[in-house]
Amino acid sequence: MAESAREQEIFHEALERPEAEWEEFVRDRAGQDPSLARRVLGLLKGHRRAVEADAEDLVEQVGRAAAAAPAAAPAVPDHIGPYRVLGRLGEGGMGVVYAAEQAEPVRRRVAVKVVRSGVDSAEILARFDAERQALALMSHPNIAQILDAGVHDRRPYFVMERIAGLPITEYCDRVQMPVAGRLELFVAVCGGVQHAHQKGVIHRDLKPSNVLVGDDGGEPIPKIIDFGIAKAVTPSAFEVNVHTELGRIVGTPDYMSPEQCETTALDVDTRADVYSLGALLYELLTGATVFGLFDGSIGFDEMRSTIRDREPVRPSARLAQAPQRAQEAAGSRGARPDDLARHLRADLDWITLKALAKDRGRRYQTASELAADVSRYLRGEPVVARPPSRVYRISKFVRRNRAATSSALVASMALVAATVVSASFAVSEREQQLRTLAANAALEEQRGRAQAMVDFLTQDLLTSASPSAGPGLGRDVTMREALDVAAQSLDARSAAGGVFADRPAVVAQLRAAIGETYADLGAYEGAERELTEALRTARAHLDRLDPTVLGAVLELGTVHRALSNDELAELYYREAITLWEEAFGDGPEVLVPLGNYGVFLDSVGRTSEALAIYERVFQERRRTEGESNVDTIMAAANLVSILERVGEGERAREIAAQFLDVARTHHGDDAAITLSMLQSRVLSLAGADLRGEALPLCEELVDRSRRVFGPEHDQTAYALNTYGNLLRDRGDLDGALAAFEEAVEAYESTLGLEHRERYLVHANLADVLVRMGRFGEAAEILESVCELVDDKEPEGRPERGIVHGLFSDALSGLDLHEDAAREAVLAYGILSDAESVRPGDLTRAAQRAARAYARWNHAAPTPDRAELAKEWADIAAASGQGG
């Protein structure tokens, strides 16, 4: 019998029985298939709520399920796009998921999620696209990865990796995994959730069925799936944040935080997912959900009251309440009931209850904090979730060091009862009416804001690419062109009389999203325009710590750095750090603006300050997020880039090699973070004159960058510049010239003619021309580059000296000896004053000055020129011996 038909049969049979008998009947009929029992009980629970009409959302969901129950499942298509469909995996409110096979360029099994036929409202399509974008934002070994997207039969779809696994609780029970193994899996899940939060995405429906575990070479790997009701922490996390379920419950009651079960919950943040992780941990430890809301035995209002007000029973006490269930739970964990309860008592009780705190301010503030405490427990270290008494810490020390502890420690403890005093405040009827009116007005504003953003997405941004949209841009529109149209449309819509004229919060969020996308495309002038206006609007109408403000200030620092507006960049970076510290305290979130500020300091030659920041960010990321985290790998790449320049090349190469392997293993060869680490590895090898090892890696870097970023992206240009340097140093001048020319063109199309990266690559191109004897072309380029570096590069930056030295070489080739000598001496002076220079740079600069005076003296001999040539030769010799 087909799986869906069997569900329907048991569902209808159960409806003919008293409600009190549903669970026992369903579990009996489902036999050895607990997943089937849960699905049917879920239908029954929804049916009961629909009958009671307790909530509009549940009525709609169960009504669809009831209407579909007696009908045959829709036909499975043969293909969706280029993917051959193998069967149906599941179905939700807005999409159907199919198992499919990809034939080329690689053969593999995948999962394809496509919008259901007939479900085409703007909200559903926006939610579906938001889920696709949420998955695309993330790259983590414990999150199902998105592989492709497209349109089939006028319905959008996206392709994910196929997760051949079971819900985490079922997997653990099936293999009788002990508590320690379950906790290790749980820590990995927390890592995936933390990654999502760092990308600005709240899952909002974390539960066992959305965490699948499969075996990868015998090693269990959990994967988080189903971001269908995810919420953006900041609107820029998705193109638009349109799918907050205003006036409806979002999530699954057994795993839902108190703030999430409010029908007017407008400020759900990442701590809602921390609560859900706590509920998942509770079930992993005990085999039971926190409140047992799954069976549908209570009404909607009582369910909400339970989640908001009822304190959960400690996991160890929960086992004692149900001896039969405790026996089953212990058996599936390879333990006896008494031993299991003892195992959970104290630390694991404290950790779980802290994650499940009603007041989110008392929970772990991040998923990584929760994971860190679980890891401390696994290592036998004190956990932060319980009072750190002296006796407790001593007992932990003894357990970790039994062999070294020769005497017994006896402690007596006094129990102090704490009295909690609650105060109630009388509210007048009139005041209550005013509060209700204000709350309703706020709710209506939020609903209108969400609808306005949906309208903008569907009517302005998406229709610009529609061939049937009248004056649209056509089907081959680029993202940059679509953004230009959207920005112009937003200008008109936000002007006096426009539909957004009285919705400044919507305008600020949309401008910030457009600005950040411009920046991602390397269109920094457009990004600066939109982000500046977004920040102005947000500051006038939103809280000073609103996510739109926080994001815009930080992004403007990055944009002005890219535009070489150093003073403005530093102002924005410093403000971002201040605001983020105020918003997040000493949480790991503050490492984001701090790390960006380090990149800025490095770019303007403040090497020692940058190094201190890079080191701090790297160590803290590594400690709190783990080595495979994207932010940790990026921090490693930044650190590598500066270590070579401060004389720690060996450490730079070690870190680069280690984290390149980590990035390839956990994120794949084409991931942006892998390419960043590959760039760092190449530079670390080149800095040690290991160019034979660096060249094939750099060829790979250029090839992948062209494919991943495109030929006109600044990351591709950066890779080409590195490649050109390697080819030049190996004597392949033609190859180097071609690489530098391509890099210059890429930078010109993205950053403009006077951007720092573009003119420095142009200097490299001129250097090749000098080596080829094309001195006139080189001198013309270098004269303009010298003007730019003198104008834009800060004092102490070695690039100024290097460019003036190259100009000296070109002038010498043109027999302009006096000018060549002047430029050579200027170059040496700049380099000698620089905060950090590469080994040998000063020696080469002195040798250049010696050659310039020697050639000048050869052309027009004088004693002074001969003496200066000798003096510079002596300086070069002394510099070489010292280095």
Side-chain angles (χ1 to χ4, degrees), residues 595 597-616 618 634-653 655-656 677 679-680 683-684 718 797 835-839:
Y597 184 45
V599 173
F600 164 76
L601 292 172
D602 192 13
S603 71
V604 297
R606 291 156 66 177
T607 308
S608 59
E609 295 175 76
L611 177 59
I613 289 178
Y614 283 168
E615 192 75 67
R616 173 186 166 185
F618 172 63
M634 182 57 70
N638 287 339
L639 183 59
V640 167
S641 71
I642 204 169
L643 286 175
E644 182 70 41
R645 285 180 275 125
V646 296
E648 295 189 42
E650 184 175 352
R651 184 180 176 217
R653 292 188 293 279
I655 294 175
M677 204 64 239
Q679 177 88 48
S680 296
L683 292 175
S684 71
Y718 189 32
R797 196 65 185 166
E835 184 175 351
S836 64
V837 294
R838 294 174 300 179

Side-chain angles (χ1 to χ4, degrees), residues 258-506:
E259 65 270 21
Q260 197 175 344
C261 76
E262 297 290 352
T263 56
T264 58
L266 301 175
D267 66 341
V268 172
D269 59 27
T270 56
R271 291 170 291 184
D273 279 352
V274 172
Y275 181 98
S276 299
L277 286 169
L280 175 60
L281 177 60
Y282 195 103
E283 190 168 356
L284 283 169
L285 295 175
T286 67
T289 56
V290 179
F291 297 120
L293 302 174
F294 185 83
D295 59 9
S297 59
I298 61 175
F300 177 69
D301 289 335
E302 187 179 352
M303 178 269 291
R304 291 176 57 201
S305 177
T306 297
I307 296 172
R308 289 196 310 256
D309 306 322
R310 181 174 151 195
E311 291 296 331
V313 177
R314 289 181 293 112
S316 59
R318 183 64 176 273
L319 292 175
Q321 291 178 348
Q324 181 58 38
R325 186 64 62 89
Q327 184 73 39
E328 296 174 1
S332 62
R333 288 155 182 78
R336 295 182 303 174
D338 291 346
D339 292 338
L340 178 60
R342 193 179 306 110
H343 204 45
L344 304 186
R345 197 171 295 129
D347 285 357
L348 291 178
D349 280 344
W350 284 91
I351 290 173
T352 307
L353 294 181
K354 182 176 177 65
L356 292 170
K358 302 292 184 189
D359 179 359
R360 56 185 171 181
R362 298 179 64 86
R363 288 177 212 151
Y364 296 99
Q365 296 301 287
T366 64
S368 61
E369 285 185 14
L370 172 55
D373 227 10
V374 173
S375 296
R376 292 186 193 99
Y377 169 81
L378 289 170
R379 294 192 299 266
E381 299 173 358
V383 301
V384 299
R386 62 171 294 156
S389 68
R390 184 181 180 190
V391 171
Y392 170 67
R393 293 182 180 276
I394 291 173
S395 69
K396 280 292 180 182
F397 175 83
V398 172
R399 289 175 192 164
R400 292 200 309 271
N401 302 276
R402 290 188 184 275
T405 306
S406 58
S407 60
L409 297 176
V410 180
S412 61
M413 302 180 65
L415 300 179
V416 179
T419 303
V420 179
V421 180
S422 62
S424 60
F425 300 89
V427 180
S428 69
E429 181 178 357
R430 176 57 181 162
E431 188 177 354
Q432 184 59 52
Q433 290 174 348
L434 291 174
R435 290 183 181 182
T436 301
L437 289 172
N440 289 339
L443 178 60
E444 186 60 33
E445 166 61 22
Q446 292 287 342
R447 182 181 288 110
R449 186 186 301 180
Q451 186 58 52
M453 297 178 84
V454 171
D455 292 343
F456 185 80
L457 171 69
T458 57
Q459 297 173 19
D460 293 76
L461 186 59
L462 297 182
T463 56
S464 66
S466 173
S468 60
L473 298 176
R475 64 185 301 167
D476 293 327
V477 60
T478 65
M479 188 62 191
R480 171 67 184 273
E481 292 168 335
L483 280 175
D484 290 342
V485 171
Q488 293 170 9
S489 177
L490 186 56
D491 289 340
R493 286 176 173 267
S494 57
V499 295
F500 288 164
D502 59 346
R503 294 192 180 279
V506 173

Side-chain angles (χ1 to χ4, degrees), residues 587-601:
E589 294 86 354
V590 179
L591 297 176
V592 175
L594 189 64
N596 285 0
Y597 184 45
V599 173
F600 164 76
L601 292 172

Side-chain angles (χ1 to χ4, degrees), residues 861-874:
T862 68
D864 289 344
R865 291 166 194 160
E867 182 62 26
L868 286 169
K870 182 179 182 305
E871 288 181 6
W872 279 109
D874 292 340

Side-chain angles (χ1 to χ4, degrees), residues 562-856:
L563 292 172
S564 299
N565 300 329
D566 294 340
E567 291 185 5
L568 276 175
E570 181 159 20
L571 285 174
Y572 279 116
Y573 279 133
R574 286 184 172 275
E575 182 182 4
I577 293 171
T578 300
L579 291 175
W580 285 55
E581 285 177 342
E582 185 176 342
F584 300 108
D586 59 355
E589 294 86 354
V590 179
L591 297 176
V592 175
L594 189 64
N596 285 0
Y597 184 45
V599 173
F600 164 76
L601 292 172
D602 192 13
S603 71
V604 297
R606 291 156 66 177
T607 308
S608 59
E609 295 175 76
L611 177 59
I613 289 178
Y614 283 168
E615 192 75 67
R616 173 186 166 185
V617 172
F618 172 63
Q619 297 298 345
E620 291 192 22
R621 287 288 189 201
R622 194 177 194 179
R623 176 177 58 83
T624 59
E625 313 298 342
E627 291 189 345
S628 63
N629 181 272
V630 169
D631 294 321
T632 305
I633 299 171
M634 182 57 70
N638 287 339
L639 183 59
V640 167
S641 71
I642 204 169
L643 286 175
E644 182 70 41
R645 285 180 275 125
V646 296
E648 295 189 42
E650 184 175 352
R651 184 180 176 217
R653 292 188 293 279
E654 290 175 355
I655 294 175
Q658 176 187 352
F659 280 87
L660 177 57
D661 288 342
V662 170
R664 288 190 193 274
T665 300
H666 291 275
H667 303 287
D669 290 336
D670 283 339
I673 188 62
T674 303
L675 297 182
S676 293
M677 204 64 239
L678 181 57
Q679 177 88 48
S680 296
R681 175 63 172 155
V682 169
L683 292 175
S684 71
L685 291 170
D689 290 331
L690 299 173
R691 294 180 177 82
E693 296 180 46
L695 189 59
L697 290 176
C698 196
E699 289 171 347
E700 177 191 356
L701 174 67
V702 170
D703 180 62
R704 293 188 186 279
S705 296
R706 286 187 182 123
R707 186 170 67 251
V708 173
F709 300 117
E712 294 185 350
H713 195 280
D714 52 359
Q715 293 295 324
T716 304
Y718 189 32
L720 284 163
N721 181 47
T722 305
Y723 186 45
N725 282 324
L726 288 173
L727 292 174
R728 177 193 58 196
D729 293 344
R730 287 175 62 90
D732 183 359
L733 299 183
D734 290 332
L737 185 64
F740 287 137
E741 287 176 339
E742 186 179 350
V744 167
E745 291 178 3
Y747 276 135
E748 285 180 359
S749 65
T750 58
L751 304 180
L753 294 175
E754 295 190 359
H755 190 272
R756 179 177 191 272
E757 300 297 341
R758 183 263 181 192
Y759 62 67
L760 291 180
V761 177
H762 221 167
N764 286 337
L765 187 152
D767 179 35
V768 173
L769 292 174
V770 168
R771 296 175 189 231
M772 299 174 80
R774 295 160 63 176
F775 301 114
E777 298 170 67
E780 184 177 354
I781 292 172
L782 288 165
E783 184 174 16
S784 64
V785 172
C786 284
E787 292 178 1
L788 287 170
V789 296
D790 289 342
D791 179 52
K792 295 181 178 295
E793 292 292 315
E795 296 293 333
R797 196 65 185 166
E799 283 80 358
R800 294 179 61 237
I802 292 171
V803 170
H804 278 283
L806 294 176
F807 192 27
S808 171
D809 292 340
L811 294 171
S812 183
L814 294 171
D815 294 332
L816 299 173
H817 301 298
E818 182 177 1
D819 293 335
R822 183 188 65 248
E823 292 295 323
V825 172
L826 175 61
Y828 182 87
I830 293 172
L831 289 171
S832 63
D833 291 337
E835 184 175 351
S836 64
V837 294
R838 294 174 300 179
D841 275 354
L842 274 176
T843 301
R844 286 187 287 271
Q847 290 170 342
R848 175 183 289 114
R851 287 196 304 271
Y853 276 107
R855 289 173 180 170
W856 189 10

Side-chain angles (χ1 to χ4, degrees), residues 76-77 84-90 97-100:
V76 175
R84 185 170 69 89
V85 176
L86 304 176
R88 190 163 62 166
L89 292 174
V97 183
Y98 295 98

Side-chain angles (χ1 to χ4, degrees), residues 81-361:
Y83 301 92
R84 185 170 69 89
V85 176
L86 304 176
R88 190 163 62 166
L89 292 174
E91 184 171 354
M94 65 179 178
V96 183
V97 183
Y98 295 98
E101 183 177 59
Q102 180 182 6
E104 54 183 25
V106 293
R107 181 175 296 277
R108 59 184 169 187
R109 297 290 179 92
V110 297
V112 181
K113 185 167 186 176
V114 60
V115 169
R116 293 172 53 199
S117 179
V119 179
D120 56 359
S121 71
E123 180 185 12
I124 291 296
L125 291 175
R127 281 180 57 185
F128 185 88
D129 188 59
E131 179 181 6
R132 176 187 64 78
Q133 293 189 50
L135 286 169
L137 282 171
M138 295 175 284
S139 178
H140 191 277
N142 300 115
I143 295 177
Q145 299 297 294
I146 189 167
L147 305 173
D148 193 9
V151 177
H152 171 74
D153 194 21
R154 292 187 291 185
R155 288 182 290 154
Y157 70 84
F158 61 85
V159 182
M160 301 171 288
E161 63 173 314
R162 172 74 186 281
I163 311 299
L166 295 171
I168 187 169
T169 49
E170 288 187 36
Y171 176 88
C172 291
D173 288 348
R174 177 168 295 188
V175 301
Q176 296 188 341
M177 182 173 287
V179 169
R182 293 167 186 253
L183 293 177
E184 289 172 356
L185 285 181
F186 179 76
V187 168
V189 174
C190 289
V193 174
Q194 180 70 25
H195 175 78
H197 291 173
Q198 290 171 332
K199 295 299 182 181
V201 180
I202 309 171
H203 191 286
R204 296 202 297 172
D205 198 23
L206 291 167
K207 55 187 176 182
S209 59
N210 283 340
V211 181
L212 302 183
V213 179
D215 287 333
D216 184 4
E219 188 75 18
I221 303 293
K223 295 273 189 177
I224 304 169
I225 64 169
D226 198 353
F227 282 79
I229 62 172
K231 175 185 177 183
V233 178
T234 61
S236 57
F238 307 149
E239 290 297 335
V240 227
N241 179 20
V242 297
H243 55 279
T244 299
E245 302 287 345
L246 296 171
R248 292 186 283 174
I249 296 298
V250 178
T252 303
D254 278 315
Y255 309 92
M256 187 186 299
S257 66
E259 65 270 21
Q260 197 175 344
C261 76
E262 297 290 352
T263 56
T264 58
L266 301 175
D267 66 341
V268 172
D269 59 27
T270 56
R271 291 170 291 184
D273 279 352
V274 172
Y275 181 98
S276 299
L277 286 169
L280 175 60
L281 177 60
Y282 195 103
E283 190 168 356
L284 283 169
L285 295 175
T286 67
T289 56
V290 179
F291 297 120
L293 302 174
F294 185 83
D295 59 9
S297 59
I298 61 175
F300 177 69
D301 289 335
E302 187 179 352
M303 178 269 291
R304 291 176 57 201
S305 177
T306 297
I307 296 172
R308 289 196 310 256
D309 306 322
R310 181 174 151 195
E311 291 296 331
V313 177
R314 289 181 293 112
S316 59
R318 183 64 176 273
L319 292 175
Q321 291 178 348
Q324 181 58 38
R325 186 64 62 89
Q327 184 73 39
E328 296 174 1
S332 62
R333 288 155 182 78
R336 295 182 303 174
D338 291 346
D339 292 338
L340 178 60
R342 193 179 306 110
H343 204 45
L344 304 186
R345 197 171 295 129
D347 285 357
L348 291 178
D349 280 344
W350 284 91
I351 290 173
T352 307
L353 294 181
K354 182 176 177 65
L356 292 170
K358 302 292 184 189
D359 179 359
R360 56 185 171 181

